Amino acid sequence: MPTANTEEENSKSELQKNHGGGGGFTRWAVVAVIFRLALIYFPGNLNLSSRPEVSTPLTSIRRLAEGYWLKQSSMSPYAGSMYHGSPLLLSVLGPLTVKSLVFVLADLISSILIRATGRKLQIAYRKSLKSLNLLNKSTDSGALSSGDIAALVYLWNPFTIVACVGLSTSPVENLFTILTLYGAATGLAPLAAFGWVMATHLSLYPAILIIPVILLLGYGPDAPPSKLFRSKEHGKVGDGKSSQEIIFSWRRVFHLLVWTSLWSVYVLVLCSISVKQHGSLQEMFQRTYGFILTVEDLSPNIGVLWYFFAEVFDFFRDFFLIVFHSNILFMILPLAIRLKHRPCFLAFVYIAISSMLKSYPSVGDSALYLGLLGLFLDELADMQFSFFLFCGYVGVSLLSPVMHNLWIWRGTGNANFYYATAMAYACFQIVLVVESVSSMLNHDRKLTKLSTSKLQK
Amino acid sequence: MTIQIRKGKRATEPQCLGSQRSLNSEDLLFPNQTGDSKAAVYFQLSNGRFRPPPAHRLIAHHIVDTIAPIFFRVSRTMWLPLRLTLLLLFLLLSPRALLRSGSAAVVSGEEEEFHEELLLKPLPDRKVLAHFHFHSIAPPSKSNGRHHHLFPKAISQLVQKFRVKEMELSFTQGRWNYERWGGFDPISSNNAKPPGVELWAVFDVPEDQVDAYWKNLTNSLSGLFCASINFLESSTMYSAPKWSFRITPGRLRYGTLPREAVCTENLTPWLKLLPCRDKAGLAALLDRPSIYKGFYHSQRLYLTSNASVPAETVSGISLEQTLTVVLQPNSPSSSSIHSGESNFQPSWSLSSIFGRKISGKCVLAQSSIVYLQLEKSIFSEQKDNMDNGPNSLASEGFAGGSGFEMSLDPDIVIEEENQSQHKGSSVLYGFWVEKYNESQPFDLGLKWKYPVFWSSRQAPLHASRFLMGSGNERGAIAILFKSANSADSSSGSRHVSDGCELQVDVFQVVPWYIKVYYHSLQIFVDDEAKPIGDFVHKIQVSPSKDKTSPGMMEMLLKLPCDVRSAALTLEFDKGFLHIDEYPPDANQGYDIPSAVISFPSFHSVMHLLSNDSIRKSPLLSRFQEKNRVQSYTEVLLVPLTTPDFSMPYNVITITCTVFALFFGSLLNVLRRRVGEEERYLKAGKKKGWLRVLLSRLLAKLRGKPMEEPDQPSSESAPLIGKKLVLKVILVAVLAVAWQFYST
């Protein structure tokens, strides 16, 4: 059966699939947008905008409105401790009366970009498999391609919907993160640089994505380990596929760096123009990045840091701040070494880690990495504990509001109740990250095994 | 220490004795010693010339003093006419300005003065207001130096050291009932204070030093009055209102402690500032149990100093100490004709209210007067009653047959000028206390003959404040204004004036953990939501900074005169504090200090028919000052969410475990090898460069050609032995080297 498939048939079926999938995607995307709009114009907006799961001090629309009000009444938007976002967001979103449409649009664009990235990844994946003569392995991947599935997962994820309807700014932040990945996957260095600069400017944590972006631009999209290609060449000399040898293209990386510096200068100039009247860039950095790094706001959220820093002894505070932030940084290098041939997956892992360990996480951050997870459906097909994780996510997202209600509104619960759900949520995220990395490495092992067994035949 | 335990104050309160000692010590700093010496010289000269009378000419004298340095070079022969013309010029100016600056002007008198006065006033709800007013004046003079005859030294040192221009400190228990006890008269505008401690001070220092001076002042006052005023030192507790709290701009700082418990330990140091303490004079009435069981108790200290004096002299200070109490006379069930009447005003006497009598004045006091204030409306009602009532009442009573009887004859009767149609003008009966002595103590009694009703004059709007919402996450503050005279304004008398505007100043301080969204400000006029721009004339906000400064809002509202009700709402989020920032009783909740509502276009001023005796009385001259009508709203109690205080260790360990789980398991996955990889790894390891190097070295040492390391098993035993020897040698060499270099 595997040998029966010819190349032509393959491409034909692929085209058909894409066509059919595209229709499905459009339909579902339209329905998702309508669903969002219906929820937004629901009376009272479901009170989502003040839920701690949706709006953190960084992404809350009420704080943005307060910052805009302060700016309008000729004060620094950072006066007081209300607004901690970007001044650009303030000048774009502030004057809008219908802010919700922006977020719906951002979600839609994000899903389209995810889909395009997915298609790109899939093409690259097929290509590399073909070159290894292993294509048969994953041709039977359902009705929709992984890109479509990822985009629909992103659009229909309850977390995304809640973050969008709750009018937090995380859809915009997610959009720029996805734009970075899309730009890098398609090899457009300026676009990738723009996305990266904006995402970093908005929420700081995407700064670590510079490594996957460089790898993505240098090596191209995800592929099996380069060792395989080399060993294959050793096996079959003179196949004419020696051009498959992966070379790191320094030219694109150089482009990226140039564009990054250009865009960051541009963004900084824009920021300084918008804060010039009542403040300074230094104040802006203090109130945005400083606020993120020092965890000043201790209001409850779905992360683990707020309760920790509310309880930890004051003289240990600095120490633990360093430890927790460096936990993100520590994992960068080992992951980059081990997964350098899969930069997109590397980016997914980075995003998942940072959204788990960031100071003020919200469900919008989880929505992003869950959507990206869909991109690697084929590779992660035999991931362990997936049902357990699904149940865990559902359980936590149902229990967490209940515990919050018991603690804050009814006064019958305790802070520990809510904190326990946050711990459980963190644990599930850890299992998800570890298992996905593990199964990706296993997938590579399997490919290696297959190709070596094929070579030995 | 015992005081703290008894009252259960906060643990970090300073030792009262220690602070007092530091205040009384002689090494107080007198900054700006090198001042204008010319003015000081002139001062002495003018003192030698003539003694100015204490009243209005004195002001001219004061003005001349201040202008004097300018004209100093004018020859002495020219000087007298110049002085006279200046005097005349000043007299031509409005007499109102003269009165207003009266208190400041009196300061420049020659001798230290002390006045004691007591105002008694029956209140409409069968209670009695007693308002003690003690006024000490220290003139600016060089001769006095640091020594005072009457004036409290602690206060003068405080003023000198902290360059205080104006200061007010009040300790209050209970809430002033604006609806029943009045909201328009000078007593309610000046002496009705928010619960707890309120302190504000204006400093005469550059703007950048004000905060430092404020901090020192709070600590000193804390020691002086045995209160937790030092908590106002933290920048989260005080604010700097610009225009809404007081009209006169200045380097003002304002702070309140709504939860401060006020008790005798605060009263005793306050009484110590009086020359006669509570041993003689009016203060002897202050029987602790009877004044603390009252409904309202507010002791206040207000001082002004004329700061613009030359540095050589000690600046003049006027210190005003007032104690306002509202007491319920325990009425013996009235044995008169209307015994069955429940709303009969209780008859009372000083001895029945305070349990004591006044046995003469404080000998050091210039004047010692007791006033009894009664509403004029009582008399008009009386007249109505007389027209149709029995004539027998006319023969009794004092003022032409009124419905009450005083046990003593007043020495003076002062009427308020009935200048407007407003009701609430009153009559004051004055009694000179100096006429009485031990054998014949002063015990004023008031006996009502039949029920009378009157109402106190109200501020144009009655302000109240409350919280909205439930739960511990967010809420809203609402300030509600209700028209005080809704009954008579609905008749249409005011509808005539269409463009009429009612100005309302709102000053509100909110602690930082109440995170107010100022953009959510909404205004409801007559129960309808209105755009803010229509009514908010001016607004100034300084939003709160976490753990740094409180939020402050100053707002000038312009409401139409015929408004029935107006409401302001502001939403807020409740903050979450660090476990150390919660007070010991965290579940009790947190206080939002009172908002200050003032009406700039309304002035609480008594126009008394002028009389010579009024001039002498500081209390009455204070009443005649033009102060804007001011009221305080309620203190709000906001419950905040608390974390679990008992388990910081659990939280730390569990969180760190989760982090370790993440770190460990992810790293484990990354470095794990399975199956074939393991073998590759082993093979790779055997070709480690150190091993290769070593084997080559060994081969060379043996003089044999290097052998392939493929079969190391055959020779492993001797190799290991040699390796061991090598290792031992290496360690020994290292040890020797270490020994050598370390010594």
Side-chain angles (χ1 to χ4, degrees), chain B residues 173-194:
Chain B
Q173 222 169 23
R175 230 176 61 216
W176 182 264
N177 192 336
Y178 286 96
E179 280 179 331
R180 289 181 165 179
W181 306 341
F184 205 97
D185 49 334
I187 288 186
S188 65
S189 291
N190 293 329
N191 292 293
K193 289 287 166 190

Side-chain angles (χ1 to χ4, degrees), chain B residues 212-233:
Chain B
Y213 273 81
W214 165 266
K215 282 172 186 173
N216 290 332
L217 176 70
T218 54
N219 279 308
S220 296
L221 285 174
S222 178
L224 197 59
F225 288 101
C226 284
S228 340
I229 308 172
N230 59 325
F231 279 91
L232 292 175
E233 179 192 19

